[in-house]
Amino acid sequence: MGRKIAIVGAGAVGGYAGAHMVRAGEDVTFIDPWPEHVEHMRAHGLRVTHASDVAEFSVPVRALHVTDAQRLAKETPVDIAFVCMKSYDTAWATMLIRQYLAPDGFVVSLQNCMNEEAIAGIVGWGKTLGCIASSITVNLPEPGHIHRGAGKGGAAHTVFRAGEVHGRITQRAEEICRLVGFADSAKVTGNLWGERWSKLVANVMGNGLSACTGLPGGQMLQSEPIRRFSTRLGSEAIRVGQALGYQLEEILHLAPETIASAGEGDEAAMRACDEQRFKDAERTSSAQRPSMGQDMVKGRRTEIEFLNGLVVREGEKLGLACSANAALTDLVKRVERDELKPDPRLITELRLN
C-alpha cells in the first residue's frame, strides 16, 4: 500500500487489472487516449462484468486524458507504471510516463507481444519488467465497461505471470504479482522470455485468424480447416521459439511439442490438440473474439506485425520458413486496408505447400 501506480492504457487488460487494484484500495491513476472512455470513467467509474460465475462491480477511478498527463509533474512521482497499450503504441506511452517516474520507479509491460526491449530502450533494462496475462479473454465493449468472456482462472489456470528480464525473483516482481493478483491468479516467474513467447504462440494461433475470417473463437474452432491452419501457425511459432533458445511453457494447456507435431501432420498430436481445445472452449463464451478480431470489428489497426509478422521475421533470421504465418500476415494487412473483406474462405480456400 502507499505506492503510486499509473496504468497507461485503460483498455481491456489495463482496465480489468486496474479496476481490481482500485477495489483493493490501491492508489491508481488511469491514462488513456480514448476521450469518451476517459470521460465515462470520470463520470461513472469502471464497470467490470464476466460471462459466468462472477458478480459484476463498479469502482470510481481517477482517469486522465493523455493531454492531462502533465498534471503528474505536480504530484508525487509514479512508483509503478503499467504500460497496457497496443504494441505499436508502446514507445510513445513509455516516453510519456518516463518523466513522471520516481527515482526507483519502474515500468511493467502488461501487453501482448514482445515489448520489453522497446520499453528498455526508453527507461533502461533496470527499470523494465514484464507481466503476461494468459487466457484472460477480456474486451472493452463500450466506454467504461470491461467484460471478461469467461469466469476467473483461479487455481485451474494461472492467469498472470510477472517476472524480471534477467530471471531472478525480486521484491518488485513479487509486488507486481501481488497487484495483478487482485484480479485473478498470479505467480512470479523466473522464465519471463519463455512465458512471453508461449503467450505469443497462443495469440498467433487465434488473433489474426479472427481478424481475417470475421469469426469469433467458437466458430473458428468448429471449422476443421481453420482449426488445422491455426495449429500450423502455432507449430511454426514454436519451432522459431525453440530455435531462439526459449524455454517454452504450456500453450493452451498443451505441451508445446504436441502443438508443433500436430502442425506438422502427426495425427495423434492433432487429436490431442482438438480434444484440449474443445474442452477449454466449454469455459469461454463462444462469442468471445480474440483481441485482434475485436480491433478489426472496431476498424482499428491490428498487432499482426508484432505477432505473426514477428514470427516470420525471426524465422527468416534463423533460416526457418514460416509460410502459414507469412500468408496470414499478408491477408490481415490486406483486410486492414479494405482490399479484402473478412471471410472464412480467405483461410479455407488458402493453398500452401
Side-chain angles (χ1 to χ4, degrees):
M1 296 294 294
R3 292 170 73 80
K4 185 167 182 176
I5 300 161
I7 294 184
V8 188
V13 174
Y16 186 79
H20 284 83
M21 293 179 206
V22 171
R23 189 167 67 157
E26 300 292 336
D27 179 3
V28 181
T29 297
F30 294 92
I31 304 168
D32 196 82
W34 186 15
E36 292 83 358
H37 184 41
V38 171
E39 289 301 319
H40 195 284
M41 286 191 287
R42 285 176 167 178
H44 307 288
L46 254 181
R47 175 181 170 224
V48 178
T49 61
H50 292 73
S52 61
D53 304 327
V54 182
E56 73 170 74
F57 70 91
S58 296
V59 287
V61 300
R62 184 193 190 204
L64 300 179
H65 295 287
V66 169
T67 51
D68 295 328
Q70 42 80 27
R71 293 184 190 176
L72 297 174
K74 299 181 179 182
E75 302 175 6
T76 304
V78 172
D79 297 299
I80 304 170
F82 289 89
V83 171
C84 307
M85 303 292 294
K86 294 294 185 180
S87 295
Y88 46 76
D89 288 326
T90 300
W92 72 256
T94 306
M95 188 72 75
L96 174 76
I97 204 63
R98 179 185 68 174
Q99 58 197 314
Y100 306 118
L101 288 177
D104 61 346
F106 55 90
V107 179
V108 183
S109 170
L110 182 54
Q111 304 166 274
N112 286 331
C113 313
M114 311 285 283
N115 295 311
E116 284 80 3
E117 185 174 359
I119 291 171
I122 294 165
V123 298
W125 282 110
K127 288 181 173 288
T128 303
L129 285 86
C131 186
I132 291 90
S134 173
S135 299
I136 193 168
T137 61
V138 288
N139 61 69
L140 181 65
E142 59 188 348
H145 178 201
I146 310 295
H147 180 72
R148 187 168 181 184
K152 300 267 187 172
H157 175 77
T158 303
V159 174
F160 296 100
R161 299 104 188 271
E164 296 272 9
V165 297
H166 47 59
R168 295 191 295 276
I169 306 301
T170 63
Q171 286 188 341
R172 63 184 190 174
E174 290 174 342
E175 173 67 359
I176 297 309
C177 181
R178 183 186 74 84
L179 290 171
V180 296
F182 291 127
D184 208 331
S185 50
K187 69 177 183 180
V188 177
T189 179
N191 183 30
L192 176 66
W193 300 111
E195 292 272 17
R196 186 62 90 188
W197 193 269
S198 299
K199 172 65 187 294
L200 183 135
V201 173
N203 284 326
V204 156
M205 293 175 67
N207 266 284
L209 278 177
S210 179
C212 81
T213 62
L215 299 177
Q219 290 183 40
M220 290 195 297
L221 195 60
Q222 293 299 324
S223 168
E224 183 172 0
I226 292 175
R227 205 165 61 243
R228 295 284 167 259
F229 189 74
S230 168
T231 305
R232 182 165 174 181
L233 293 167
S235 178
E236 291 179 355
I238 287 166
R239 294 306 187 210
V240 171
Q242 290 170 335
L244 288 168
Y246 295 132
Q247 179 187 335
L248 300 182
E249 304 282 349
E250 268 196 353
I251 299 163
L252 303 176
H253 303 121
L254 288 159
E257 194 59 38
T258 301
I259 298 174
S261 298
E264 293 163 352
D266 184 296
E267 292 189 3
M270 290 164 68
R271 288 194 296 272
C273 281
D274 284 351
E275 180 180 346
Q276 185 62 50
R277 296 190 72 182
F278 279 110
K279 180 180 176 182
D280 288 346
E282 295 172 2
R283 298 194 294 269
T284 303
S285 168
S286 61
Q288 178 73 23
R289 292 179 188 272
S291 58
M292 203 181 294
Q294 298 171 37
D295 292 336
M296 196 65 81
V297 169
K298 295 174 182 178
R300 297 183 55 180
R301 180 183 173 187
T302 74
E303 293 180 296
I304 193 69
E305 287 286 1
F306 297 85
L307 287 170
N308 305 78
L310 177 65
V311 171
V312 175
R313 294 192 300 276
E314 292 298 322
E316 287 174 348
K317 296 175 188 176
L318 298 160
L320 295 176
C322 298
S323 55
N325 281 278
L328 184 65
T329 301
D330 178 65
L331 284 170
V332 171
K333 289 166 72 174
R334 290 170 67 189
V335 173
E336 276 189 304
R337 295 192 297 263
D338 291 326
E339 295 172 9
L340 297 170
K341 296 298 181 186
D343 193 319
R345 289 176 297 180
L346 295 177
I347 299 301
T348 58
E349 297 178 4
L350 185 64
R351 296 291 177 263
L352 295 175
N353 56 13

